[in-house]
Every structure is written in C-alpha cells, then in structure tokens.
Amino acid sequence: MHYYTVMATLPFKDTAFIDREELARRWALAAEPCPDDARGPRWQLLLREFLWPLEPVRRVLGKPLEIAQAARPKTVMLLPGFGAHPIRMRWMARKLEKAGHVTKKWGLGYNLGATEARFRQVEERLVDLYRRTGEPIHLVGWSLGGVMARELAKKHADKVAKVITMGSPFSYSPRANNGWRAYQAIAGHRVDEPEIDTVLHEKPPVETVAFWSPRDGVVHPRAACGRPDERDRAVPLRCSHMGFVLTNEAVAAVLSELDR
C-alpha cells in the first residue's frame, strides 16, 4: 500500500538532504497522539489493503468490464494518492482512453504531500492543459489527489469542468485515516495545518462528486463521503482504498460520471 511503501523507502533517500534536527521534528510529527474523536478504519480493513496485488486476478475471474464509446470525449487529469506514482492509475487511464477520453498525468511523479510548492506546480499543469485544449478539464483524484483536485477547482473554477474524488479525506477530521502519521513525517507539516490557505471541507464552485466505500481500510468513510453541503453527490462503492484505481466497479463509476 502506497502510504507504507513510502515510509519504508523515502527516509533512506532523503537523509542526505535533511539534517538531524529536521528528521527529529518529522519523527515527532509522526508520533503525535491521535485525537479521541478521530479514528481511521478498523485494523481488519487496513490489513485487507495489502491484498491489492490480487485485484488483477479478481478482474480476470469476475464479470468483464464493458466499455461503451463516450458520446462526448473529455480531457481528464488523474491525480494520484499520497505516496503513489501516476503509474498506479495507469490501468484506469487505459480504460478511460478506450472509451475515447484523453487522460493526462498530473506531471509531478510521486505525490509526497500537498506542500505549497507542489500545489503551485500542479496549478501550472492545470493551466497549461486548459490553454492547450481550450476547454475545462475533468479532474479525477484518488485519496490525497482528490483533496488537491478540490483545491484546484476552488482556485480555477473556470478551468475545471468537474471534480471526482475517490476515497479522499476532505471532510470530518483530517486525522480520520490510517495514513496521517506517514503524511506528517514525509510532507513535514500537520495534516490539519496545510501550507495553502484553504478550508478543506468547503465545496468547490463546480460539480463535485465523492466516491467512498465502507470497505476502505485507509480513509474513514465519513471523511470521504462528506456532508451534503460539501459536495454535490456521494457515490458509494464496495472496493478497498487501493481498489478505487484497480477495480472494474470504480472504473465503471468514473466512466458513468464522465458521461453525465
């Protein structure tokens, strides 16, 4: 799972660039106690997330995904979750392209946190895509990628046609998930103290749809579903957190939203 893969590998790469005092500060951020009113999904669901390599097998054994041609193909930018590389969303991208849509990567490689610098870079990417296509872009964001997609839509409503979030923790408590400690250690700031000026739960001024799942082992369903005034619609799925980008169910849901 991407949160813990990053925790296991990134520090060894970055220790040459982060001094001892900074490493101690980040360790302290990761060791902070969790508020009593903020809990992630239960540990049984978290353990099931590690079975994600079996998803391709389940797709082969399950009902085939039927993909119809889109009546009006869209340009779609895919934003990966925290600790994930765009390649994690490549299977989904191929299915969207099969329907006739044009998919674009977010252009930043691994998503290592919503820092101010990284957000400015993805802003530039959105503006560039809008200029080149001449039409508003559809944003599909997985986990933290969805949170960032919502923020892009708030700042550039004229350049975003629609936002689809998948298991994204934009509501409730930012610590109502099983990845906030890894986030604080790697991004270097608290999840409830973002580097950009924003109110995370505030709905963007464009159509915003939230995918959530009661089987999500990383983000609490309440945080990913949101309240009625925080999104336009909420769509329940039955996949794991990793399954948002690996299952036929999730891809079918995204295709359906793009055709609405």
Side-chain angles (χ1 to χ4, degrees):
M1 189 169 60
H2 49 283
Y3 292 98
Y4 303 101
T5 300
V6 170
M7 279 298 287
T9 61
L10 184 68
F12 295 103
K13 297 177 183 178
D14 281 5
T15 48
F17 306 101
I18 302 178
D19 60 34
R20 185 174 299 178
E21 183 177 342
E22 176 64 10
L23 286 173
R25 186 184 73 84
R26 294 189 181 214
W27 179 263
L29 285 173
E32 287 183 344
C34 184
D36 292 337
D37 61 345
R39 287 286 182 268
R42 63 184 187 275
W43 65 269
Q44 294 94 333
L45 289 174
L46 178 60
L47 287 179
R48 289 179 61 183
E49 295 291 341
F50 291 92
L51 299 177
W52 68 265
L54 298 179
E55 291 297 346
V57 178
R58 293 187 180 127
R59 293 199 302 259
V60 171
L61 298 178
K63 182 180 179 181
L65 176 64
E66 296 182 3
I67 298 178
Q69 285 296 301
R72 294 183 58 197
K74 312 294 197 310
T75 299
V76 184
M77 183 163 74
L78 302 176
L79 293 86
F82 174 61
H85 190 274
I87 197 170
R88 291 283 192 184
M89 303 183 79
R90 184 56 192 150
W91 177 78
M92 172 177 281
R94 288 199 298 265
K95 298 305 178 185
L96 301 188
E97 290 164 356
K98 185 176 181 180
H101 301 294
V102 177
T103 63
K104 298 293 184 179
K105 297 178 183 178
W106 78 325
L108 302 184
Y110 284 99
N111 186 346
L112 300 180
T115 62
E116 183 177 7
R118 190 167 291 109
F119 186 76
R120 298 306 169 217
Q121 286 179 286
V122 77
E123 263 191 301
E124 293 174 3
R125 172 67 167 163
L126 172 65
V127 172
D128 179 59
L129 287 176
Y130 174 75
R131 287 173 178 167
R132 287 195 281 127
T133 62
E135 61 181 19
I137 309 300
H138 287 67
L139 304 181
V140 177
W142 174 33
S143 198
L144 177 62
V147 176
M148 297 176 74
R150 287 170 58 96
E151 296 308 309
L152 286 173
K154 292 175 189 178
K155 294 183 178 294
H156 300 278
D158 61 321
K159 302 175 180 63
V160 177
K162 185 174 189 175
V163 173
I164 301 173
T165 63
M166 303 185 295
S168 300
F170 64 87
S171 185
Y172 187 30
S173 168
R175 302 193 187 207
N177 59 76
N178 289 320
W180 68 269
R181 295 182 189 280
Y183 179 89
Q184 294 193 171
I186 294 171
H189 63 260
R190 293 184 175 87
V191 290
D192 46 8
E193 296 177 359
E195 291 188 1
I196 59 175
D197 184 19
T198 184
V199 178
L200 290 179
H201 64 266
E202 197 172 77
K203 195 189 90 65
V206 304
E207 185 178 6
T208 305
V209 182
F211 291 0
W212 64 279
S213 172
R215 297 181 180 179
D216 193 322
V218 176
V219 175
H220 195 288
R222 188 190 306 179
C225 175
R227 299 179 178 88
D229 62 334
E230 296 171 348
R231 38 65 177 172
D232 291 294
R233 286 180 294 109
V235 178
L237 302 180
R238 301 293 293 177
C239 62
S240 66
H241 192 74
M242 296 296 288
F244 280 114
V245 295
L246 293 173
T247 62
N248 287 340
E249 177 192 23
V251 169
V254 172
L255 288 171
S256 176
E257 287 297 332
L258 293 176
D259 280 342
R260 286 178 67 98

